[in-house]
Amino acid sequence: QLAIDAAASNLEAGGTVLLPRGTFLTKSTLSIPGGIKLRGQGYGSSPLAIQFDAGGSVLAYCGTDYAVKLEGHAASLEDVAVYDWRYPVGGYCDTVQAAGGVLVEADNAAVE
């Protein structure tokens, strides 16, 4: 979140934040403001069959809100898998219920 916030405050026309390969566990919603793109390294052959060791970028969410919120014009998420994290089995993340995966907050005019 800190890299995304820094990009938003330093660039008038927007920018891209690169998410490296790996699995990134977060318990807080990732907010992507208008003009910012979060670009990962892919997610394997299918976002529905994530292979955690395939060298892609996975946001592993463990929380009660949405995992990612796109907030504003031209906010985007690219080549990143968003996963409802359930590990360890029987632990906190296995019992918490998220509100959802990715929320696009539009301005009541259009969603691009």
Side-chain angles (χ1 to χ4, degrees):
Q1 186 67 59
L2 292 174
I4 292 169
D5 293 344
S9 67
N10 291 326
L11 297 171
E12 291 179 17
T16 299
V17 175
L18 298 176
L19 186 65
R21 288 170 170 36
T23 301
F24 303 92
L25 177 63
T26 180
K27 294 182 178 179
S28 299
T29 298
L30 192 62
S31 298
I32 303 174
I36 300 298
K37 175 188 292 184
L38 178 61
R39 179 183 294 152
Q41 307 300 311
Y43 41 75
S45 60
S46 168
L48 300 177
I50 298 169
Q51 297 174 331
F52 295 107
D53 59 353
S57 302
V58 178
L59 287 176
Y61 182 66
C62 172
T64 58
D65 200 355
Y66 286 86
V68 178
K69 289 184 179 178
L70 302 175
E71 303 173 328
H73 178 72
S76 65
L77 184 65
E78 179 180 299
D79 291 333
V80 176
V82 178
Y83 187 79
D84 191 15
W85 196 250
R86 295 286 181 210
Y87 304 101
V89 174
Y92 172 75
C93 291
D94 190 31
T95 61
V96 70
Q97 179 68 41
V102 178
L103 177 66
V104 178
E105 294 186 328
D107 61 4
N108 293 327
V111 176
E112 297 178 20

